[in-house]
């Protein structure tokens, strides 16, 4: 059973940086894509970024391209989201997620970590 534990959220001023971490366990992640999603108050959860575990291919939503970087450390089984040039509209609960390469649906989720960007 896949388990995901996020850390690294917090309060930061606009223009600042944060790095989120997601410790993964319970599977052979070679066959997975790992993703970050976020949910702001009153809004639906939205895709932020994803990475294929084995090849390291990355995907981003347009609003974070050039500011956020997703990466993974295979040995530590950890996925990172480096967030730079943060904006107040990046404020949300950020969730780590996982899906099998053969499925479009993310089926495993972490508990979420709060990111608050003040103006």
């Amino acid at each position: 059973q896949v388990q995901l534990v996020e850390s690294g959220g917090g309060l930061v001023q606009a223009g600042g940086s944060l790095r989120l971490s997601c410790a993964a366990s319970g599977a052979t992640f070679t066959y997975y894509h790992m993703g970050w999603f976020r949910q702001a108050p009153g809004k639906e959860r939205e895709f932020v970024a994803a990475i294929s575990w084995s090849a390291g291919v990355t995907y981003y939503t347009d609003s974070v391209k050039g500011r956020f970087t997703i990466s993974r450390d295979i040995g530590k089984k950890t996925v990172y989201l480096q967030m730079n040039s943060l904006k107040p509209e990046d404020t949300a609960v950020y969730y780590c997620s996982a899906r099998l390469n053969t499925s479009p649906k993310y089926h495993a989720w972490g508990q979420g970590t709060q990111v608050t960007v003040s103006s």
Side-chain angles (χ1 to χ4, degrees):
Q1 182 176 350
V2 174
Q3 292 188 318
L4 305 171
V5 180
E6 304 99 330
S7 61
L11 173 64
V12 64
Q13 289 189 331
S17 299
L18 280 175
R19 188 177 80 158
L20 305 183
S21 299
C22 173
S25 62
T28 302
F29 290 98
T30 302
Y31 308 110
Y32 279 75
H33 275 64
M34 306 298 291
W36 286 97
F37 288 72
R38 65 187 179 187
Q39 187 167 21
K43 295 189 176 181
E44 293 188 354
R45 189 174 298 186
E46 66 170 352
F47 170 80
V48 176
I51 187 168
S52 61
W53 189 270
S54 57
V57 178
T58 58
Y59 312 84
Y60 298 94
T61 193
D62 285 347
S63 63
V64 308
K65 284 180 180 176
R67 299 190 299 123
F68 290 12
T69 303
I70 188 171
S71 62
R72 84 274 189 251
D73 185 319
I74 294 175
K76 293 183 178 180
K77 284 193 172 181
T78 300
V79 180
Y80 303 100
L81 186 67
Q82 178 67 44
M83 306 186 293
N84 299 329
S85 301
L86 282 161
K87 305 175 181 180
E89 51 264 43
D90 295 317
T91 295
V93 177
Y94 283 70
Y95 297 90
C96 181
S97 59
R99 67 171 177 87
L100 287 165
N101 293 343
T102 53
S103 171
K105 184 176 174 63
Y106 284 86
H107 67 276
W109 297 87
Q111 82 285 356
T113 185
Q114 177 70 48
V115 171
T116 303
V117 184
S118 63
S119 58

